[in-house]
Amino acid sequence: PPLRRAAFTGDQVEQQLDRAAHDTLADPRHLIQVDGRLRVTALLDWYRADFDAYPGGAAAFLREFASLRAADALTTGAIDTLDYDWPLVTS
């Protein structure tokens, strides 16, 4: 996920983490749709136990934080992982 330009703060950490999840899944390097299949970041595979522990599992996490169009693609159950993009990106 992209690095923030500011530190997380105790009183705002939940909102900041939610924003980071939305921003990450809005980036085509982390989530795209191809031929009716949803392709997501390899992080979901690497940390599968964490995402499985999310209420409703990884699919519920994606429904909550991905775009509505991507969430609709989950009804097909067709999810693949993307190769992870390791370079640092500066903006």
Side-chain angles (χ1 to χ4, degrees):
L3 296 175
R4 290 177 36 86
R5 294 187 181 272
F8 287 96
T9 59
D11 61 334
Q12 294 290 313
V13 72
E14 290 301 322
Q15 294 89 345
Q16 292 168 325
L17 289 170
D18 286 356
R19 173 65 14 217
H22 281 288
D23 292 348
T24 299
L25 294 175
D27 186 328
R29 291 175 297 159
H30 299 289
L31 186 145
I32 58 173
Q33 285 178 268
V34 178
D35 298 328
R37 296 183 74 82
L38 199 59
R39 300 194 68 211
V40 298
T41 176
L43 293 170
L44 268 74
D45 222 13
W46 297 345
Y47 297 99
R48 179 166 302 281
D50 294 323
F51 288 101
D52 286 347
Y54 188 82
F61 178 86
L62 290 170
R63 279 189 192 90
E64 182 168 349
F65 294 105
S67 70
L68 184 58
R69 204 170 136 226
D72 286 344
L74 288 168
T75 59
T76 66
I79 302 175
D80 297 317
T81 55
L82 295 163
D83 291 333
Y84 195 76
D85 183 2
W86 288 99
L88 291 176
V89 177
T90 58
S91 48

PDB file of all heavy atoms in Angstrom, residues 50-71:
ATOM      1  N   ASP A  50      -5.013 -13.536   8.137  1.00  0.00           N
ATOM      2  CA  ASP A  50      -5.528 -12.259   8.636  1.00  0.00           C
ATOM      3  C   ASP A  50      -6.820 -11.880   7.932  1.00  0.00           C
ATOM      4  O   ASP A  50      -7.777 -11.424   8.563  1.00  0.00           O
ATOM      5  CB  ASP A  50      -4.494 -11.146   8.440  1.00  0.00           C
ATOM      6  CG  ASP A  50      -3.253 -11.357   9.285  1.00  0.00           C
ATOM      7  OD1 ASP A  50      -3.377 -11.839  10.424  1.00  0.00           O
ATOM      8  OD2 ASP A  50      -2.152 -11.037   8.799  1.00  0.00           O
ATOM      9  N   PHE A  51      -6.857 -12.060   6.613  1.00  0.00           N
ATOM     10  CA  PHE A  51      -8.060 -11.703   5.865  1.00  0.00           C
ATOM     11  C   PHE A  51      -9.187 -12.699   6.138  1.00  0.00           C
ATOM     12  O   PHE A  51     -10.354 -12.317   6.174  1.00  0.00           O
ATOM     13  CB  PHE A  51      -7.770 -11.584   4.370  1.00  0.00           C
ATOM     14  CG  PHE A  51      -6.971 -10.355   4.050  1.00  0.00           C
ATOM     15  CD1 PHE A  51      -5.613 -10.431   3.817  1.00  0.00           C
ATOM     16  CD2 PHE A  51      -7.579  -9.108   4.002  1.00  0.00           C
ATOM     17  CE1 PHE A  51      -4.874  -9.294   3.537  1.00  0.00           C
ATOM     18  CE2 PHE A  51      -6.856  -7.963   3.732  1.00  0.00           C
ATOM     19  CZ  PHE A  51      -5.494  -8.057   3.491  1.00  0.00           C
ATOM     20  N   ASP A  52      -8.857 -13.958   6.354  1.00  0.00           N
ATOM     21  CA  ASP A  52      -9.877 -14.945   6.710  1.00  0.00           C
ATOM     22  C   ASP A  52     -10.484 -14.629   8.074  1.00  0.00           C
ATOM     23  O   ASP A  52     -11.652 -14.925   8.326  1.00  0.00           O
ATOM     24  CB  ASP A  52      -9.302 -16.358   6.711  1.00  0.00           C
ATOM     25  CG  ASP A  52      -9.050 -16.895   5.303  1.00  0.00           C
ATOM     26  OD1 ASP A  52      -9.551 -16.285   4.328  1.00  0.00           O
ATOM     27  OD2 ASP A  52      -8.341 -17.910   5.184  1.00  0.00           O
ATOM     28  N   ALA A  53      -9.693 -14.006   8.964  1.00  0.00           N
ATOM     29  CA  ALA A  53     -10.182 -13.646  10.295  1.00  0.00           C
ATOM     30  C   ALA A  53     -11.079 -12.403  10.260  1.00  0.00           C
ATOM     31  O   ALA A  53     -11.798 -12.138  11.219  1.00  0.00           O
ATOM     32  CB  ALA A  53      -9.003 -13.409  11.233  1.00  0.00           C
ATOM     33  N   TYR A  54     -11.037 -11.657   9.161  1.00  0.00           N
ATOM     34  CA  TYR A  54     -11.906 -10.490   9.027  1.00  0.00           C
ATOM     35  C   TYR A  54     -13.352 -10.994   9.005  1.00  0.00           C
ATOM     36  O   TYR A  54     -13.639 -12.011   8.373  1.00  0.00           O
ATOM     37  CB  TYR A  54     -11.571  -9.755   7.725  1.00  0.00           C
ATOM     38  CG  TYR A  54     -12.262  -8.434   7.554  1.00  0.00           C
ATOM     39  CD1 TYR A  54     -11.752  -7.294   8.152  1.00  0.00           C
ATOM     40  CD2 TYR A  54     -13.438  -8.334   6.828  1.00  0.00           C
ATOM     41  CE1 TYR A  54     -12.395  -6.076   8.013  1.00  0.00           C
ATOM     42  CE2 TYR A  54     -14.085  -7.117   6.680  1.00  0.00           C
ATOM     43  CZ  TYR A  54     -13.544  -5.990   7.274  1.00  0.00           C
ATOM     44  OH  TYR A  54     -14.195  -4.787   7.142  1.00  0.00           O
ATOM     45  N   PRO A  55     -14.277 -10.335   9.705  1.00  0.00           N
ATOM     46  CA  PRO A  55     -15.666 -10.824   9.705  1.00  0.00           C
ATOM     47  C   PRO A  55     -16.220 -10.986   8.281  1.00  0.00           C
ATOM     48  O   PRO A  55     -16.312 -10.024   7.542  1.00  0.00           O
ATOM     49  CB  PRO A  55     -16.427  -9.738  10.464  1.00  0.00           C
ATOM     50  CG  PRO A  55     -15.386  -9.065  11.310  1.00  0.00           C
ATOM     51  CD  PRO A  55     -14.115  -9.139  10.497  1.00  0.00           C
ATOM     52  N   GLY A  56     -16.477 -12.215   7.886  1.00  0.00           N
ATOM     53  CA  GLY A  56     -16.941 -12.501   6.535  1.00  0.00           C
ATOM     54  C   GLY A  56     -15.816 -12.862   5.578  1.00  0.00           C
ATOM     55  O   GLY A  56     -16.044 -13.154   4.415  1.00  0.00           O
ATOM     56  N   GLY A  57     -14.572 -12.819   6.060  1.00  0.00           N
ATOM     57  CA  GLY A  57     -13.423 -13.230   5.258  1.00  0.00           C
ATOM     58  C   GLY A  57     -12.947 -12.189   4.253  1.00  0.00           C
ATOM     59  O   GLY A  57     -13.370 -11.033   4.266  1.00  0.00           O
ATOM     60  N   ALA A  58     -12.055 -12.630   3.375  1.00  0.00           N
ATOM     61  CA  ALA A  58     -11.454 -11.742   2.382  1.00  0.00           C
ATOM     62  C   ALA A  58     -12.505 -11.133   1.458  1.00  0.00           C
ATOM     63  O   ALA A  58     -12.403  -9.956   1.082  1.00  0.00           O
ATOM     64  CB  ALA A  58     -10.399 -12.491   1.570  1.00  0.00           C
ATOM     65  N   ALA A  59     -13.508 -11.896   1.100  1.00  0.00           N
ATOM     66  CA  ALA A  59     -14.553 -11.374   0.214  1.00  0.00           C
ATOM     67  C   ALA A  59     -15.281 -10.204   0.876  1.00  0.00           C
ATOM     68  O   ALA A  59     -15.567  -9.189   0.227  1.00  0.00           O
ATOM     69  CB  ALA A  59     -15.537 -12.476  -0.164  1.00  0.00           C
ATOM     70  N   ALA A  60     -15.555 -10.301   2.164  1.00  0.00           N
ATOM     71  CA  ALA A  60     -16.217  -9.204   2.880  1.00  0.00           C
ATOM     72  C   ALA A  60     -15.303  -7.982   2.960  1.00  0.00           C
ATOM     73  O   ALA A  60     -15.763  -6.845   2.831  1.00  0.00           O
ATOM     74  CB  ALA A  60     -16.629  -9.647   4.278  1.00  0.00           C
ATOM     75  N   PHE A  61     -14.003  -8.211   3.152  1.00  0.00           N
ATOM     76  CA  PHE A  61     -13.040  -7.109   3.176  1.00  0.00           C
ATOM     77  C   PHE A  61     -13.055  -6.383   1.834  1.00  0.00           C
ATOM     78  O   PHE A  61     -13.127  -5.156   1.775  1.00  0.00           O
ATOM     79  CB  PHE A  61     -11.635  -7.640   3.485  1.00  0.00           C
ATOM     80  CG  PHE A  61     -10.584  -6.577   3.490  1.00  0.00           C
ATOM     81  CD1 PHE A  61     -10.332  -5.847   4.637  1.00  0.00           C
ATOM     82  CD2 PHE A  61      -9.839  -6.304   2.353  1.00  0.00           C
ATOM     83  CE1 PHE A  61      -9.362  -4.857   4.649  1.00  0.00           C
ATOM     84  CE2 PHE A  61      -8.868  -5.319   2.345  1.00  0.00           C
ATOM     85  CZ  PHE A  61      -8.627  -4.594   3.504  1.00  0.00           C
ATOM     86  N   LEU A  62     -13.031  -7.157   0.751  1.00  0.00           N
ATOM     87  CA  LEU A  62     -13.054  -6.545  -0.580  1.00  0.00           C
ATOM     88  C   LEU A  62     -14.377  -5.827  -0.837  1.00  0.00           C
ATOM     89  O   LEU A  62     -14.386  -4.748  -1.424  1.00  0.00           O
ATOM     90  CB  LEU A  62     -12.801  -7.605  -1.651  1.00  0.00           C
ATOM     91  CG  LEU A  62     -11.377  -8.158  -1.672  1.00  0.00           C
ATOM     92  CD1 LEU A  62     -11.295  -9.377  -2.586  1.00  0.00           C
ATOM     93  CD2 LEU A  62     -10.382  -7.094  -2.089  1.00  0.00           C
ATOM     94  N   ARG A  63     -15.474  -6.407  -0.395  1.00  0.00           N
ATOM     95  CA  ARG A  63     -16.774  -5.736  -0.570  1.00  0.00           C
ATOM     96  C   ARG A  63     -16.804  -4.398   0.158  1.00  0.00           C
ATOM     97  O   ARG A  63     -17.390  -3.435  -0.315  1.00  0.00           O
ATOM     98  CB  ARG A  63     -17.908  -6.617  -0.065  1.00  0.00           C
ATOM     99  CG  ARG A  63     -18.330  -7.669  -1.040  1.00  0.00           C
ATOM    100  CD  ARG A  63     -19.610  -8.396  -0.599  1.00  0.00           C
ATOM    101  NE  ARG A  63     -19.794  -9.561  -1.426  1.00  0.00           N
ATOM    102  CZ  ARG A  63     -19.300 -10.771  -1.150  1.00  0.00           C
ATOM    103  NH1 ARG A  63     -18.635 -10.979  -0.041  1.00  0.00           N
ATOM    104  NH2 ARG A  63     -19.506 -11.772  -1.972  1.00  0.00           N
ATOM    105  N   GLU A  64     -16.176  -4.343   1.325  1.00  0.00           N
ATOM    106  CA  GLU A  64     -16.202  -3.106   2.104  1.00  0.00           C
ATOM    107  C   GLU A  64     -15.261  -2.043   1.556  1.00  0.00           C
ATOM    108  O   GLU A  64     -15.595  -0.863   1.538  1.00  0.00           O
ATOM    109  CB  GLU A  64     -15.833  -3.386   3.561  1.00  0.00           C
ATOM    110  CG  GLU A  64     -15.890  -2.130   4.412  1.00  0.00           C
ATOM    111  CD  GLU A  64     -15.806  -2.403   5.895  1.00  0.00           C
ATOM    112  OE1 GLU A  64     -15.905  -3.562   6.317  1.00  0.00           O
ATOM    113  OE2 GLU A  64     -15.642  -1.413   6.628  1.00  0.00           O
ATOM    114  N   PHE A  65     -14.086  -2.444   1.084  1.00  0.00           N
ATOM    115  CA  PHE A  65     -13.058  -1.459   0.753  1.00  0.00           C
ATOM    116  C   PHE A  65     -12.785  -1.282  -0.734  1.00  0.00           C
ATOM    117  O   PHE A  65     -12.142  -0.312  -1.121  1.00  0.00           O
ATOM    118  CB  PHE A  65     -11.759  -1.785   1.488  1.00  0.00           C
ATOM    119  CG  PHE A  65     -11.893  -1.638   2.971  1.00  0.00           C
ATOM    120  CD1 PHE A  65     -11.978  -2.744   3.791  1.00  0.00           C
ATOM    121  CD2 PHE A  65     -11.975  -0.382   3.555  1.00  0.00           C
ATOM    122  CE1 PHE A  65     -12.123  -2.614   5.160  1.00  0.00           C
ATOM    123  CE2 PHE A  65     -12.127  -0.229   4.919  1.00  0.00           C
ATOM    124  CZ  PHE A  65     -12.191  -1.349   5.725  1.00  0.00           C
ATOM    125  N   ALA A  66     -13.264  -2.178  -1.579  1.00  0.00           N
ATOM    126  CA  ALA A  66     -13.047  -2.034  -3.020  1.00  0.00           C
ATOM    127  C   ALA A  66     -14.177  -1.212  -3.631  1.00  0.00           C
ATOM    128  O   ALA A  66     -15.186  -0.950  -2.990  1.00  0.00           O
ATOM    129  CB  ALA A  66     -12.969  -3.412  -3.677  1.00  0.00           C
ATOM    130  N   SER A  67     -14.001  -0.857  -4.880  1.00  0.00           N
ATOM    131  CA  SER A  67     -15.052  -0.118  -5.575  1.00  0.00           C
ATOM    132  C   SER A  67     -16.297  -0.988  -5.699  1.00  0.00           C
ATOM    133  O   SER A  67     -16.229  -2.217  -5.640  1.00  0.00           O
ATOM    134  CB  SER A  67     -14.579   0.275  -6.975  1.00  0.00           C
ATOM    135  OG  SER A  67     -14.496  -0.882  -7.786  1.00  0.00           O
ATOM    136  N   LEU A  68     -17.422  -0.348  -5.880  1.00  0.00           N
ATOM    137  CA  LEU A  68     -18.690  -1.073  -6.017  1.00  0.00           C
ATOM    138  C   LEU A  68     -18.634  -2.038  -7.195  1.00  0.00           C
ATOM    139  O   LEU A  68     -19.094  -3.167  -7.108  1.00  0.00           O
ATOM    140  CB  LEU A  68     -19.839  -0.076  -6.175  1.00  0.00           C
ATOM    141  CG  LEU A  68     -21.235  -0.654  -6.232  1.00  0.00           C
ATOM    142  CD1 LEU A  68     -21.543  -1.457  -4.971  1.00  0.00           C
ATOM    143  CD2 LEU A  68     -22.262   0.448  -6.399  1.00  0.00           C
ATOM    144  N   ARG A  69     -18.043  -1.605  -8.304  1.00  0.00           N
ATOM    145  CA  ARG A  69     -17.937  -2.461  -9.486  1.00  0.00           C
ATOM    146  C   ARG A  69     -17.118  -3.715  -9.184  1.00  0.00           C
ATOM    147  O   ARG A  69     -17.476  -4.821  -9.567  1.00  0.00           O
ATOM    148  CB  ARG A  69     -17.301  -1.663 -10.618  1.00  0.00           C
ATOM    149  CG  ARG A  69     -17.645  -2.188 -11.979  1.00  0.00           C
ATOM    150  CD  ARG A  69     -17.182  -1.224 -13.049  1.00  0.00           C
ATOM    151  NE  ARG A  69     -16.567  -2.045 -14.051  1.00  0.00           N
ATOM    152  CZ  ARG A  69     -15.423  -1.808 -14.633  1.00  0.00           C
ATOM    153  NH1 ARG A  69     -14.753  -0.743 -14.337  1.00  0.00           N
ATOM    154  NH2 ARG A  69     -14.948  -2.619 -15.530  1.00  0.00           N
ATOM    155  N   ALA A  70     -16.013  -3.534  -8.475  1.00  0.00           N
ATOM    156  CA  ALA A  70     -15.185  -4.686  -8.121  1.00  0.00           C
ATOM    157  C   ALA A  70     -15.921  -5.587  -7.141  1.00  0.00           C
ATOM    158  O   ALA A  70     -15.871  -6.805  -7.242  1.00  0.00           O
ATOM    159  CB  ALA A  70     -13.861  -4.222  -7.533  1.00  0.00           C
ATOM    160  N   ALA A  71     -16.621  -4.997  -6.199  1.00  0.00           N
ATOM    161  CA  ALA A  71     -17.375  -5.790  -5.225  1.00  0.00           C
ATOM    162  C   ALA A  71     -18.448  -6.617  -5.927  1.00  0.00           C
ATOM    163  O   ALA A  71     -18.696  -7.762  -5.560  1.00  0.00           O
ATOM    164  CB  ALA A  71     -17.992  -4.878  -4.168  1.00  0.00           C
TER     165      ALA A  71
END
